[in-house]
Amino acid sequence: MKQMNSAGEFNVSIQSSNLIVAVFKADWCGDCKYIDPFMPEVEEKYSDRLTLIEVDVDKVGDVSQEQNILGIPSFVAYADGRELVRFVNKLRKTREEIEDFLNKALDVYHTLHDTAERKE
C-alpha cells in the first residue's frame, strides 16, 4: 500500500479517474494493527480493480480533519477527486467487512462510471 506523506500527495492521488481507496490509520491504533496481517492479501486480491493508499492520521493530520475522519481504521473510496462511499466507525473491522466495503465501492464506482459514459 502506497503511503501518503503529505496532503498534496493525497490530493493528487484521489484525483485519479480510477478507484482509489484511502485507508486512514495510525501506528498506535490497536484495531489498525489487527488488519495489518491480512491487508496485503486483500490488496493483492483487488489490485486489478482499485488502488489502496495509506494515510497515517498523525503524519498527514490535516487530511484526516478535512475528510472528517473520526475513527480509525477508516476506509474512504474516491474517484475524480470525489468521495464515493466510506466505511467509518469506531469498531474493529474484519477482513470480510473490508472486502464487503471494497465490493460496495466497486459497485458505486462502476455505476457512476457507466452512467457518465452513457451521457458522453
Side-chain angles (χ1 to χ4, degrees), residues 50-91:
L50 57 84
T51 300
L52 288 164
I53 60 173
E54 183 176 320
V55 181
D56 185 312
V57 298
D58 291 331
K59 294 179 183 166
V60 194
D62 291 349
V63 169
S64 58
Q65 286 182 329
E66 289 167 9
Q67 299 300 313
N68 200 29
I69 302 300
L70 302 175
I72 54 175
S74 291
F75 296 76
V76 184
Y78 302 90
D80 299 314
R82 293 188 342 236
E83 178 180 325
L84 304 182
V85 64
R86 62 173 49 204
F87 181 27
V88 178
N89 61 40
K90 63 181 181 180
L91 304 175

Side-chain angles (χ1 to χ4, degrees), residues 1-2 4 9-24 43 46-47 49-55 67 74-86 101-102 105-106 109:
M1 208 177 318
K2 183 174 182 188
M4 299 293 103
E9 188 177 13
F10 171 81
N11 290 325
V12 167
S13 293
I14 66 168
Q15 294 303 317
S16 173
S17 60
N18 296 320
L19 181 59
I20 305 297
V21 177
V23 181
F24 292 86
E43 184 174 18
Y46 288 86
S47 65
R49 295 173 281 168
L50 57 84
T51 300
L52 288 164
I53 60 173
E54 183 176 320
V55 181
Q67 299 300 313
S74 291
F75 296 76
V76 184
Y78 302 90
D80 299 314
R82 293 188 342 236
E83 178 180 325
L84 304 182
V85 64
R86 62 173 49 204
F101 168 75
L102 295 177
L106 284 162
Y109 172 75

